[in-house]
Amino acid sequence: PPRVLTPPNPQALATSKPVLVDFYADWCENCKVMAPRMAALEKQYASKVQFVTLNGADKENEKWVSAFKVSAVWSDQELI
């Protein structure tokens, strides 16, 4: 599974590589489906892209959710 950083480790964000931040929630079924896909992408592109995974439902990550303007999560093709 991808690394979960709460809050993101400064070294993960201070890199010359592009950073992909994946927000998820434990209750999100689509996030569970995407997790193995994201892990495969991380393995494939680790030398080119820095991957960071954050639990968007965790109160400690509210500032990151706000900073990245995460406004919703999809569940069964519905915006919640």
Side-chain angles (χ1 to χ4, degrees), residues 43-72:
K43 185 176 180 181
Q44 183 177 354
Y45 293 101
S47 65
K48 298 178 181 175
V49 178
Q50 177 69 39
F51 287 77
V52 176
T53 302
L54 291 174
N55 183 344
D58 188 328
K59 294 282 186 194
E60 289 186 44
N61 292 326
E62 284 181 352
K63 73 176 185 177
W64 297 104
V65 170
S66 178
F68 284 94
K69 299 181 184 345
V70 176
S71 59

Side-chain angles (χ1 to χ4, degrees), residues 3 5 8-23 38 45-46 48-54 64 68:
R3 282 181 309 290
L5 305 172
N9 181 319
Q11 288 96 3
L13 299 177
T15 177
S16 60
K17 297 187 289 187
V19 178
L20 186 147
V21 181
D22 177 30
F23 288 90
M38 293 300 293
Y45 293 101
K48 298 178 181 175
V49 178
Q50 177 69 39
F51 287 77
V52 176
T53 302
L54 291 174
W64 297 104
F68 284 94

